Amino acid sequence: DIQMTQSPSSLSASVGDRVTITCQASQDISNYLNWYQQKPGKAPKLLIYDASNLETGVPSRFSGSGSGTDFTFTISSLQPEDIATYYCQQYDNLPLYTFGQGTKLEIK
Amino acid sequence: QVQLQESGPGLVKPSQTLSLTCTVSGGSISSGSYYWSWIRQPAGKGLEWIGRIYTSGSTNYNPSLKSRVTISVDTSKNQFSLKLSSVTAADTAVYYCATAYEGSNAFDIWGQGTMVTVSS
C-alpha cells in the first residue's frame, strides 16, 4: 500500500503568514494527489486536485505543487477562516484511495 | 447541484451490522460517470476510504474492510447504501458519503456526515 506522510502534524501561524504543508508518498504517484480542507464538525472540502489545480470557487491564495513523491500545499496569506485541518489524498493505487494523517492549522 | 445526505441508526450493537443510506438529490445517481463512495473518520482521527460503487453497479472495497463491507445502489430511490458487518467499537466514527467523477478521482461533493457509535 502507498503511505502518505504529512508534515507537520500541527502548525501555528499568524494572519498574513505564508503557510506550507508537505505530503510525501511512499512511492511515485505522479501527480495523483488531492488536497482537502476540513473545518471542525464539517465534511472535507476539495481545494486542489491533480496536485496543482485549484477547484472552482476556491480562493487563489491556496495552491499546490509537486509530483512523484513530494508535494506541497501553500496558503500565500493566511486568513482567519483558513483555520482547519488539511489532508492530502492519493489515487495512484486505484481503486484504493488513501489520505495523509492531516495537518491541524491554528492561528498564533 | 448534486447534494448528498446520509441517514441511518446512530447506535449499533457490537457484532451487529451497520447500515447507512446516502440519498442523492439535484441529479440522478445513474447518470454520468460517477463513483459513489463511503469514507469514515473516527473522532479526532484521519479519513479512511471504505469503498465505492460505480454507476454501472460495480464495486471496489478497501482491502482492510473488504470481508465485512457491502455497498449497493438503488436507482429507483436515487440512493446508495453501506453495510458493515460484525462491527466493533473500532468502527465507531463519522461516516460520510462522497462522490468523484470517474476521470478525476477527487471527492468534490460530500454529505454532511453521520455519527455511528458501536456500543452495547
Side-chain angles (χ1 to χ4, degrees):
Chain A
D1 290 358
I2 298 175
Q3 306 301 318
M4 306 302 296
T5 303
Q6 274 185 246
S7 61
S9 56
S10 64
L11 174 60
S12 182
S14 300
V15 172
D17 281 356
R18 183 181 184 86
V19 171
T20 297
I21 298 168
T22 64
C23 185
Q24 186 171 56
S26 58
Q27 65 188 66
D28 189 332
I29 61 169
S30 184
N31 68 329
Y32 300 149
L33 185 102
N34 305 316
W35 289 96
Y36 299 84
Q37 175 193 66
Q38 185 178 33
K39 296 183 177 181
K42 300 293 187 181
K45 174 186 176 182
L46 177 66
L47 299 181
I48 303 287
Y49 63 94
D50 296 347
S52 60
N53 295 299
L54 194 66
E55 176 72 347
T56 302
V58 174
S60 59
R61 64 180 181 274
F62 296 102
S63 65
S65 64
S67 66
T69 60
D70 296 306
F71 301 86
T72 300
F73 172 81
T74 300
I75 306 174
S76 60
S77 178
L78 184 66
Q79 299 301 304
E81 61 267 31
D82 300 336
I83 298 313
T85 300
Y86 293 85
Y87 293 94
C88 61
Q89 170 240 322
Q90 70 81 25
Y91 59 94
D92 178 71
N93 188 28
L94 290 176
L96 177 61
Y97 302 95
T98 52
F99 295 85
Q101 78 275 23
T103 296
K104 186 175 184 179
L105 177 57
E106 299 175 329
I107 292 285
K108 191 181 295 182
Chain B
Q1 172 73 342
V2 170
Q3 293 183 312
L4 306 178
Q5 177 68 59
E6 305 88 349
S7 60
L11 181 64
V12 181
K13 289 182 167 51
S15 79
Q16 293 191 344
T17 296
L18 178 160
S19 296
L20 296 175
T21 295
C22 182
T23 300
V24 180
S25 60
S28 172
I29 198 170
S30 56
S31 67
S33 301
Y34 289 91
Y35 286 109
W36 307 92
S37 281
W38 288 96
I39 296 165
R40 69 181 183 178
Q41 184 174 37
K45 297 188 177 181
L47 299 158
E48 179 181 35
W49 178 76
I50 298 170
R52 69 182 184 182
I53 189 164
Y54 190 50
T55 307
S56 65
S58 65
T59 54
N60 302 106
Y61 301 127
N62 188 321
S64 68
L65 298 168
K66 187 174 183 177
S67 63
R68 300 194 290 131
V69 174
T70 302
I71 296 176
S72 59
V73 64
D74 186 337
T75 55
S76 67
K77 295 182 179 179
N78 225 30
Q79 297 175 335
F80 64 106
S81 299
L82 168 70
K83 291 188 184 301
L84 181 65
S85 63
S86 305
V87 297
T88 69
D91 295 309
T92 295
V94 175
Y95 285 75
Y96 295 100
C97 55
T99 189
Y101 183 66
E102 180 184 13
S104 81
N105 291 293
F107 301 106
D108 56 349
I109 301 174
W110 295 68
Q112 65 185 28
T114 188
M115 179 68 200
V116 178
T117 301
V118 178
S119 175
S120 56

